[in-house]
Amino acid sequence: MKQFFKFMFASAIGTFLSLMIAGVFLFVVFFAMLSVVISEASENGPGKIENIEDNSILHLSLNKPIIDRTSENPFENFDLINLKSQNSLGLDKMLRAIEKAKTDDKIKGIYLDLTYIPAGMATLEELRAAIIDFKASKKWVVSYSELYTQGSYYIASAADKIYLNPAGIVEHRGLSSEIMFFKNALEKLDVEMQIIRHGKFKSAVEPYMLEKMSAANREQMQLLLNTAWSSMTKQVAESRNISIEKLNELADNMTIQDAKIAKAEGLVDELYYKDEILGELRERLALDVDADINSVSLKKYATTLKKAKIESTVGKNKIAIVYASGEIRSGQSTKGVMGSETISKAIREARLDTNIKAIVLRVNSPGGSALASDIMWREVVLANKAKPVIVSMGNVAASGGYYIACAADKIIADEKTITGSIGVFGVVPNAQGLMNNKLGITFDRVKTNKHADLMSVFKPLTAQEKDIIQIGVEKIYDDFITKVAEGRGMTKEEVDAIGQGRVWMGKDALEIGLIDEIGGMDRAIEIAKEKANLSDYQIVNYPKTKDPFEEILEELSLNIETRILTKALGNEQKYYKKIQSVTQQSGIMTRMAYDIEIH
């Protein structure tokens, strides 16, 4: 008995000490996070535009990932290792800030301080359009960099003057897309990916069944890249007064090998060191040689603005923006995942609110679960019967992302938005060989009915079971193209001809009727305003933000995983996440195969 109490007492003490240490750790982390938030609030000011000094420049560095919607959670992306905030602005606040600066007498110009911009092509297109619109105020825009990637140069080309460090470089080589194939690796592991799909272009499953791109996939990939490059070079050519033919010649020959050549070929205007560009800025601001430059970051400037609104806020009229971003799955949304329950509820709340006169659905998703997509599609249908619903497509609105968009009144996309991918597939892994032959693990089973073990990943599908799943895939595909046909005023045959899982750029999607107009979020809001016949209104964002403490706990777990992956894999963590997303899929999928990046 004495030993029992000794053991119990020791266990209690150990548990108490563990809880105390964990509590102290959380206490320290919480107050470190709180101090960062207070520090940032003190630096940026509590939303007072008066904090911006006269004769200032707006400084855009754009060196953090750009998402569609700015998080209201002050602890979002908090760095637990270095105990500092890594928050970045969303595209929504960026566009509003640049728009405000256009008419702000205190802001004299924009300084683009660029290197690599971690953002999709459509996001870059919307930012570039905002900068060009800013120039309509007759204010100046200058750009400087030590290294212009193709994405950052695309933004810089909108500037009045482009400056480059004398030892710097401009990357100009064209676009490429690389896909990783796992077929041979899976064979070595004795894992069979049992694939059932509809659509010859539905290439999401190709990495598991082929060693290289199919002819159909290569065809669509080539068109995507050609369309994106054509759009980029056309816009750069117009801004820099260089012919498209010349830009392609420079890329084909890899002519731009150093800064002097970049200047000689007209890609940049001058070669400046940092002190020289600062001198240029002082001259534009009519300052003395050693005078301080009043510079305000885009983030700080955005925080000085009141809650983003368009025009006047008089009256109760509102336009709701519902942000539908991430991989589509059932249930609640989490970081990087669009949950059908969360988005359906957001659309429903916007529909039932009589003060909301129109809805803009911002879709940025490669797709995912067919069932979850259908649940959200239903809410879009109901909302569109009650008030105008305009879809604004971001970097990608494909497969399930297009599924939920097709019922809207109008669909707006950027030239470089990736959309379409109207196709369906299902994947059932068979790891029996891995378990039996590699690990020596065997399985036996009992069942009440013939197909009770249909979805087991430790046995192969029978021919009959494959037929059963194929019937389900065909049914969902027929339902998909039926809904697209109804929403777009087309026949099923017409949708099928441009479907089959094929992916399109926004520019091409306009020509085949998948979208109605080229434009960004601002254009979608303008159309919503016109259709609702509004003059004075305000913007409200959905889904509603989560409870702060719930977000903190979620962010703590996600941040630790992200930090570990980033440290171990760097930029290559995207391949790990790609494999992870496949293993987390369930049911029949409407999802795009890949992402395209500009470097």
Side-chain angles (χ1 to χ4, degrees):
M1 182 64 70
K2 183 191 286 186
Q3 290 298 324
F4 170 76
F5 281 111
K6 230 165 114 182
F7 176 76
M8 186 177 72
F9 182 71
S11 298
I13 290 292
T15 302
F16 174 75
L17 288 174
S18 298
L19 289 173
M20 188 171 70
I21 292 170
V24 170
F25 173 75
L26 288 173
F27 180 83
V28 170
V29 169
F30 178 78
F31 276 95
M33 294 164 78
L34 189 61
S35 67
V36 170
V37 173
I38 292 172
S39 172
E40 289 191 351
S42 172
E43 175 191 346
N44 295 331
K48 295 180 181 177
I49 194 69
E50 303 85 57
N51 288 350
I52 305 302
E53 297 184 46
D54 289 329
N55 203 31
S56 293
I57 61 172
L58 185 60
H59 181 192
L60 276 66
S61 58
L62 308 177
N63 58 353
K64 293 182 179 179
I66 302 173
I67 56 178
D68 276 348
R69 181 184 183 182
T70 303
S71 172
E72 301 300 328
N73 175 15
F75 303 127
E76 178 96 11
N77 295 325
F78 188 84
D79 185 345
L80 284 172
I81 307 300
N82 299 307
L83 295 180
K84 64 181 181 180
S85 173
Q86 295 185 328
N87 262 4
S88 58
L89 283 180
L91 182 63
D92 57 340
K93 291 283 181 71
M94 287 183 173
L95 297 180
R96 295 287 76 76
I98 295 171
E99 180 185 43
K100 174 62 181 174
K102 179 182 174 182
T103 56
D104 187 348
D105 292 337
K106 295 181 179 181
I107 301 296
K108 303 304 179 183
I110 288 178
Y111 170 44
L112 299 173
D113 184 6
L114 306 175
T115 48
Y116 168 63
I117 306 176
M121 291 184 288
T123 296
L124 296 180
E125 186 176 334
E126 291 200 39
L127 279 171
R128 191 178 188 276
I131 292 168
I132 290 174
D133 181 65
F134 173 88
K135 289 168 60 178
S137 66
K138 305 302 180 185
K139 297 181 181 182
W140 48 265
V141 179
V142 298
S143 179
Y144 178 75
S145 182
E146 296 172 4
L147 167 64
Y148 285 109
T149 63
Q150 294 188 117
S152 62
Y153 184 79
Y154 174 62
I155 294 288
S157 66
D160 299 301
K161 294 289 183 180
I162 302 178
Y163 301 108
L164 176 66
N165 186 285
I169 191 68
V170 177
E171 292 184 350
H172 183 73
R173 60 181 183 272
L175 305 181
S176 69
S177 180
E178 194 171 63
I179 301 174
M180 182 181 287
F181 291 83
F182 307 104
K183 176 179 178 289
N184 292 338
L186 291 169
E187 286 180 355
K188 289 180 185 295
L189 294 171
D190 231 337
V191 175
E192 176 193 10
M193 299 299 277
Q194 302 167 107
I195 296 160
I196 299 94
R197 62 174 174 168
H198 183 110
K200 64 179 180 179
F201 292 99
K202 199 63 185 174
S203 52
V205 295
E206 286 190 0
Y208 313 110
M209 56 188 284
L210 301 175
E211 297 177 9
K212 61 182 182 180
M213 285 182 273
S214 66
N217 190 23
R218 185 175 297 278
E219 176 189 338
Q220 72 169 346
M221 283 299 301
Q222 192 65 59
L223 179 60
L224 286 176
L225 293 179
N226 289 347
T227 300
W229 181 245
S230 173
S231 176
M232 288 178 66
T233 53
K234 181 175 182 290
Q235 291 169 306
V236 171
E238 291 171 352
S239 296
R240 297 299 301 170
N241 196 26
I242 305 173
S243 72
I244 294 174
E245 292 74 21
K246 182 64 175 178
L247 288 172
N248 278 312
E249 179 187 324
L250 295 174
D252 287 338
N253 297 329
M254 286 294 291
T255 304
I256 311 302
Q257 295 293 330
D258 58 41
K260 289 181 179 178
I261 297 174
K263 180 184 176 184
E265 296 294 350
L267 295 185
V268 301
D269 295 291
E270 294 293 344
L271 305 182
Y272 279 174
Y273 286 103
K274 193 60 175 281
D275 61 295
E276 292 175 303
I277 187 63
L278 293 177
E280 168 76 12
L281 294 175
R282 288 190 180 94
E283 187 176 326
R284 287 179 176 271
L285 295 171
L287 298 174
D288 293 336
V289 175
D290 296 322
D292 290 335
I293 298 172
N294 294 330
S295 173
V296 56
S297 71
L298 184 63
K299 180 178 180 181
K300 180 178 178 181
Y301 188 73
T303 59
T304 64
L305 304 177
K306 292 183 178 180
K307 197 171 183 180
K309 298 176 183 179
I310 309 295
E311 298 180 11
S312 170
T313 59
V314 177
K316 295 183 178 180
N317 293 333
K318 300 174 183 177
I319 292 177
I321 301 179
V322 179
Y323 289 91
S325 301
E327 179 111 10
I328 295 174
R329 295 182 198 163
S330 296
Q332 300 293 328
S333 293
T334 57
K335 192 172 183 179
V337 173
M338 184 201 311
S340 58
E341 185 62 30
T342 300
I343 302 303
S344 293
K345 181 182 178 183
I347 298 170
R348 185 163 55 252
E349 287 178 351
R351 167 171 60 90
L352 297 175
D353 188 335
T354 56
N355 290 325
I356 292 175
K357 307 303 180 183
I359 298 171
V360 172
L361 180 62
R362 175 70 171 188
V363 182
N364 208 336
S365 170
S369 164
L371 173 59
S373 300
D374 193 68
I375 289 169
M376 291 182 284
W377 167 87
R378 173 63 178 173
E379 289 297 335
V380 176
V381 170
L382 295 175
N384 202 28
K385 290 178 180 178
K387 56 194 68 174
V389 178
I390 312 300
V391 164
S392 169
M393 291 181 166
N395 292 311
V396 55
S399 207
Y402 190 82
Y403 195 124
I404 67 175
C406 68
D409 195 45
K410 282 200 174 292
I411 301 177
I412 312 302
D414 293 296
E415 280 193 359
K416 300 172 193 64
T417 293
I418 299 172
T419 189
S421 193
I422 301 168
V424 183
F425 70 90
V427 178
V428 182
N430 172 23
Q432 186 184 64
L434 171 65
M435 293 300 190
N436 293 179
N437 305 329
K438 306 296 185 185
L439 302 177
I441 299 172
T442 59
F443 294 85
D444 199 1
R445 58 184 60 83
V446 293
K447 52 188 177 181
T448 60
N449 297 87
K450 185 176 180 180
H451 301 296
D453 58 348
L454 173 65
M455 300 308 289
S456 171
V457 298
F458 301 118
K459 74 171 196 65
L461 293 170
T462 66
Q464 186 180 11
E465 287 169 340
K466 286 183 179 179
D467 288 342
I468 291 169
I469 298 175
Q470 185 71 53
I471 289 170
V473 166
E474 296 297 338
K475 181 181 180 300
I476 291 175
Y477 180 75
D478 185 73
D479 191 37
F480 194 167
I481 64 173
T482 297
K483 287 169 178 172
V484 172
E486 291 172 353
R488 301 302 301 163
M490 304 166 72
T491 66
K492 285 173 61 175
E493 292 72 24
E494 288 172 332
V495 176
D496 186 48
I498 58 176
Q500 298 288 324
R502 182 159 188 165
V503 179
W504 305 88
M505 276 282 174
K507 187 177 179 182
D508 297 318
L510 177 64
E511 295 179 6
I512 60 176
L514 286 179
I515 69 170
D516 296 291
E517 190 175 320
I518 295 295
M521 175 74 87
D522 287 345
R523 179 56 186 151
I525 293 172
E526 185 67 23
I527 293 172
K529 167 193 164 184
E530 293 168 358
K531 286 197 167 285
N533 196 27
L534 300 176
S535 54
D536 296 324
Y537 63 96
Q538 69 181 87
I539 296 293
V540 290
N541 294 326
Y542 286 86
K544 302 284 181 61
T545 54
K546 295 180 182 177
D547 177 84
F549 289 102
E550 182 185 345
E551 288 212 51
I552 290 171
L553 293 174
E554 182 179 310
E555 190 59 35
L556 282 172
S557 61
L558 288 171
N559 195 283
I560 292 172
E561 179 188 3
T562 301
R563 289 287 300 179
I564 292 171
L565 283 175
T566 301
K567 190 170 184 62
L569 301 175
N571 192 47
E572 307 312 314
Q573 65 179 287
K574 60 189 176 185
Y575 297 117
Y576 167 80
K577 290 183 176 180
K578 176 70 175 174
I579 297 171
Q580 184 185 50
S581 73
V582 172
T583 62
Q584 292 174 345
Q585 291 170 359
S586 61
I588 295 175
M589 308 296 291
T590 52
R591 196 199 187 285
M592 200 185 72
Y594 36 68
D595 303 311
I596 299 176
E597 301 176 354
I598 298 179
H599 299 290

